[in-house]
Amino acid sequence: MTRSIRTTAQFNTKIFYPDGKTPHLWSSDPLENYGFDDQQLSFYADNVAVTLSEDGTSYTIKSATNDNSIVNLKVTRTAPGFQVGKDGKSFFGTDPSNPWGSMRHAFWPRNEVTGTIITKSGDLDFKGSGLFIHALQGMKPHHAAAKWNFADFQSPTYTAVMMDYTTPPSYGSTVVNVGGLVRDGEIICAGSSNSATHTEVKGDPDNDWPEPASVKFQWSGTTKDGRPVSACLEGSLGQRLDRVDVMAEVPKFVKSIVGGVAGTKPYIYQYSLPLTLKIKIGDEESEEKGTLFSEATFIS
């Protein structure tokens, strides 16, 4: 028997219905004849195009791979993007010049979104604010992290975003955090001096994962003119939007990589709720209500 590793591509969409009655719409389809443009900034495949505008300020995302969700969206950056460090990468291993693996995160934290997703039950208008992340995971998922936390807070004036993960014991159970704060069209601060804490755990009766009941996200940094910055989102998560059994959703080739690892039963818990961001910039304190989308992921 001959085994080989091949590169695959998948286009996914997930629509949450806030009425609590309509089932979430999940579409996931393998792509054919995929590739990038010469500058490696735009992606294409049969019936899919993710295209960066000439001025570099917007992406159009179009997909007709699935009749259940035909995508035609435009994401326009309204504040600068950011990444932490020289290139946004986190390296794994004992030799920085020859790492065993890496991950990269780059953010457009505050964007204007326009366009629609056409479903069998009608057209959905996605006009609003949004977050765009470019993420590369250069290693097996269960080697990269044992658990993840994610926060995307959007309000009329502020955006607060955070990506937080803890490496498995083989990499020292190290916490890696990347996050940033934006006010209108300006980055207040961005960096790795942030934290995500599950302040209350209720657990999941269907498995052994410690599903959070309450969370606290904290940002810390310095403005470009040297003023200290701190911000906090804290509160009860309430009823979750969804619980994703990752192994039931991923392509078969990923299952073959991850499924045989003892203790690897990844679940993603997803939440959306109104919260108030409390922020202090120098001597200036303010707070603003907005919406938090959050995830807690347990892998191993």
Side-chain angles (χ1 to χ4, degrees), residues 14-50:
K14 185 173 186 177
I15 298 172
F16 296 97
Y17 290 90
D19 61 11
K21 300 176 183 178
T22 307
H24 306 314
L25 180 59
W26 166 252
S27 303
S28 181
D29 300 279
L31 303 180
E32 301 292 338
N33 300 314
Y34 51 82
F36 294 88
D37 66 351
D38 292 340
Q39 293 181 302
Q40 302 287 295
L41 297 174
S42 299
F43 175 86
Y44 59 86
D46 290 349
N47 298 314
V48 169
V50 181

Side-chain angles (χ1 to χ4, degrees), residues 162 177 193-197 216-220 231-233:
M162 185 186 298
N177 189 296
S193 300
N194 318 296
S195 65
T197 307
K216 185 176 185 179
F217 295 102
Q218 294 175 288
W219 289 261
S220 179
C232 181
L233 280 170

Side-chain angles (χ1 to χ4, degrees), residues 213-237:
S214 300
V215 293
K216 185 176 185 179
F217 295 102
Q218 294 175 288
W219 289 261
S220 179
T222 306
T223 64
K224 61 184 178 182
D225 59 1
R227 291 178 293 164
V229 177
S230 61
C232 181
L233 280 170
E234 184 174 15
S236 170
L237 290 169

Side-chain angles (χ1 to χ4, degrees), residues 194-272:
N194 318 296
S195 65
T197 307
H198 296 174
T199 54
E200 182 184 356
V201 173
K202 63 181 178 182
D204 187 341
D206 295 329
N207 55 49
D208 294 328
W209 292 126
E211 180 188 359
S214 300
V215 293
K216 185 176 185 179
F217 295 102
Q218 294 175 288
W219 289 261
S220 179
T222 306
T223 64
K224 61 184 178 182
D225 59 1
R227 291 178 293 164
V229 177
S230 61
C232 181
L233 280 170
E234 184 174 15
S236 170
L237 290 169
Q239 184 68 30
R240 66 185 179 227
L241 274 177
D242 200 8
R243 181 187 64 183
V244 181
D245 179 352
V246 176
M247 296 302 289
E249 303 293 349
V250 296
K252 290 182 179 180
F253 82 96
V254 176
K255 293 181 184 179
S256 67
I257 294 173
V258 179
V261 180
T264 305
K265 297 179 180 179
Y267 277 83
I268 304 172
Y269 298 85
Q270 298 175 314
Y271 311 87
S272 180

Side-chain angles (χ1 to χ4, degrees), residues 6 11 13 19 25-26 72 76 78 83 94 107 114 117 148 169-170 188 205-206 235 239 243 254 287 297-298:
R6 61 190 181 94
F11 189 88
T13 63
D19 61 11
L25 180 59
W26 166 252
N72 186 5
T76 302
T78 58
Q83 60 188 17
T94 57
F107 301 84
T114 57
I117 297 181
W148 290 81
S170 56
I188 301 170
D206 295 329
Q239 184 68 30
R243 181 187 64 183
V254 176
E287 58 181 55
T297 301
F298 301 97

Side-chain angles (χ1 to χ4, degrees), residues 93-116:
T94 57
D95 182 1
S97 63
N98 188 29
W100 297 332
S102 67
M103 288 200 286
R104 179 178 187 264
H105 294 99
F107 301 84
W108 283 7
R110 193 168 177 87
N111 304 274
E112 178 188 5
V113 180
T114 57
T116 62

